[in-house]
Amino acid sequence: MNAEPFVAPFVLQYTYKRSLGPVFSRFFTALRDGRILGSRTAAGTVLVPPSEYDPETGADLAEMVEVGPEGTVLSWTDLAEPPPGHADKTPFAWALIRLDGADTALLHAVCASEVSAGMRVRPRWAAERTGQIWDILCFEAVSP
Amino acid sequence: MSDVTVLRTPTRLNYEVTAGAVTARFLTGILDKNLIGQRCPACRKVYIPPRGSCPTCAVPTTEAVPVGPRGTVTTFSVVRLPFEGQILPPPYACAHVVLDGADVPLLHIVGDCDVDTVRIGMRVEAVWAPVVEATLASVRYFRPVDEPDVPDDQIRSFL
């Protein structure tokens, strides 16, 4: 029973694919076209990312409005060592970004040597967009 | 351009697994192309792969018992659809194989034969990978051997 402990990598991988439904279909179609959409509630609140339902009333949300493309960093977390899949974003921070015209914050990456609350940012779009969140490669500082 | 209606959201979890003493010994056996189970001191059942205890009697198991490499198919299902990560091209059979000397079935693959010939009671043997590693996948699959089928009444407890 003195066998050396065996240590081995174990990779669990799921190839999920989800149907978007009408709201997210419009959101991701717009992203592919280089525009960012939010949902407007009956009370006039604009939610970005959009929602299928009003979080306050549960009502269906169909109306969508364009927001941004610039926004303001509300808070952020620096990533000193980006995980696999994000190596091209060194250095970057995860940030909550309230896009102009929106009332809620979008979680996305900010590529900048220094990030701060209140910082003004804009999306850096991918050259080839397919309709997914990384069509925005990251947000970057708006030049003063 | 048509609307975006589907989103790919692959998920990948990278674990590092440390085998305990019992599994480490089982995997060491695999490196020598041996399948080594454990016998319960109370009910005398031989478990493969061993887990270090008997789930029925709730007692530790310590006695090592070599089993296989031949065994008997006790149930099976034919896989005809392709999917990612498949080891053999379909069609092939997933089967419970009760290895000789063991008292529990091992879920594995039966290949190297016409799937329509796979049947309960069929005798099979382990086919090892050209290079064995410390994983049960070093048994690539089981293939039929030229032995008479095991009659149902001898494997009834598994059916």
Side-chain angles (χ1 to χ4, degrees), chain B residues 2-65:
Chain B
S2 60
D3 286 355
V4 178
T5 58
V6 169
L7 187 67
R8 289 186 180 280
T9 56
T11 297
R12 183 185 170 92
L13 303 168
N14 292 300
Y15 290 100
E16 193 168 79
V17 180
T18 303
V22 172
T23 301
R25 191 167 58 174
F26 170 70
L27 295 175
T28 305
I30 294 245
L31 291 175
D32 297 325
K33 297 189 181 179
N34 290 322
L35 296 164
I36 302 170
Q38 280 188 331
R39 191 190 310 276
C40 172
C43 69
R44 310 301 292 164
K45 272 190 176 174
V46 173
Y47 292 97
I48 182 84
R51 300 295 185 206
S53 65
C54 175
T56 307
C57 308
V59 295
T61 53
T62 54
E63 184 191 344
V65 182

Side-chain angles (χ1 to χ4, degrees), chain A residues 71-92:
Chain A
T72 304
V73 171
L74 301 186
S75 68
W76 81 101
T77 300
D78 278 321
L79 257 83
E81 294 176 23
H86 295 300
D88 54 335
K89 296 185 188 66
T90 313
F92 85 98

